[in-house]
Each structure stands twice: as C-alpha cells, then as structure tokens.
Amino acid sequence: MGYRVAVVGATGAVGREMLQTLAERNFPVDKVHALASSKSAKRELSYGDDITLTVEALDKFDFAAADIALFSAGGETSKAFAPKAGEAGCLVIDNSSAFRMDEDVPLIVPEVNADAVSGVTRTNGGRNIIANPNCSTAQLVVALKPLHEAYGLRRVVVS
C-alpha cells in the first residue's frame, strides 16, 4: 500500500525536483498529484522515466485526496493552503518560510530532531503541518549535531 502524495508548486524548480526524488527513491505512492496555479493546470510533467502527470489547479484541489502534501510554492501560497490541507487530514511538509517561526508548527530536520514530529497530527492536537528550515540551515545543523553531542555547543555564529 502506498501514499497519496500532493506536490504543491510542482511546476517550479523545487517542485520538479521533489517529483524526481520521489520517483528515483521509489517512494511508495499509489497516486501523485502535481499541483500548481490555475495558469499551469493541464500542463504535463514527468514523474520518473515512464510516467507523465497532468498538473491540477491548487485552488480546486481537495486535500482529503492526499495523505502527504509537499509544499514548495512560496510563503503566501503555504499560508493560504497548508492549513486547509492539514484540516483535511493531510500531513503537510512545508518548504517555505511561512511556518518556520510558528510555535505550533515543529521545525524539523530529520537527521537532527525527528522526534519533534510527535504531536504534529490533528489527533494529537497539532495542525498536521511540519516546517523545515532553509536549505543552508538544514545542512549546517546536520553537521553541527555530532559536535553538539560531543562538546555541547551553546552558540554558533555564521557570517
């Protein structure tokens, strides 16, 4: 049994890379929804070597049709649609800055704090939204974690 995955911002560079990575890693999917603005609806995108997806309009999509939504369409789009997706029972993984400072949304880098995922689901009082830090921060904290564990870092200054 696979997941029903929605990629929000599928026509952008990061969205296309998300689709490619899902396919390359053989992520267990039953259905992939490529979502973008209504201007991009009906456009075709590759999913792996053999599958072509037809882009669906984000503003008309019912997130109850997805188990996981990967958001990479910018902060305003995430603010408008991620709560609706979470409310529909979909687990949102947001790649924008929209929820990074929200106390009710865990900021997760799996290699560093995967345990922070607990409580994210609506059944545990969460909002079904996970945020991730920007790309350079994610890489930095992965490198810093073993140093922190070994030596107890208290402060890092990056210039």
Side-chain angles (χ1 to χ4, degrees):
M1 183 184 127
Y3 297 98
R4 301 168 303 158
V5 178
V7 176
V8 178
T11 57
V14 175
R16 289 191 316 270
E17 188 63 32
M18 287 176 170
L19 290 170
Q20 184 65 26
T21 301
L22 289 169
E24 284 176 1
R25 294 189 180 211
N26 294 315
F27 189 79
V29 297
D30 283 342
K31 175 74 175 159
V32 177
H33 299 275
L35 305 177
S37 69
S38 55
K39 292 186 290 187
S40 295
K42 300 196 190 299
R43 190 172 151 189
E44 292 187 340
L45 294 175
S46 295
Y47 179 74
D49 295 331
D50 304 328
I51 299 172
T52 300
L53 302 174
T54 301
V55 175
E56 302 172 61
L58 172 60
D59 60 350
K60 294 182 177 21
F61 186 70
D62 178 3
F63 280 98
D67 302 307
I68 301 168
L70 304 173
F71 272 70
S72 189
E76 292 306 311
T77 299
S78 290
K79 286 177 187 174
F81 291 96
K84 293 175 184 178
E87 197 63 39
C90 185
L91 176 62
V92 173
I93 302 171
D94 185 45
N95 196 37
S96 78
S97 61
F99 299 100
R100 288 180 182 156
M101 300 300 286
D102 188 321
E103 289 181 16
D104 297 326
V105 175
L107 187 63
I108 306 287
V109 176
E111 298 84 355
V112 175
N113 65 336
D115 58 315
V117 169
S118 64
V120 74
T121 64
R122 295 193 59 71
T123 57
N124 292 336
R127 293 169 58 190
N128 277 2
I129 301 173
I130 295 170
N132 63 274
N134 72 27
C135 53
S136 57
T137 300
Q139 293 175 55
L140 180 63
V141 297
V142 169
L144 290 175
K145 182 182 182 200
L147 294 172
H148 174 66
E149 289 173 347
Y151 304 106
L153 298 177
R154 291 185 300 184
R155 181 175 172 207
V156 175
V157 177
V158 178
S159 303

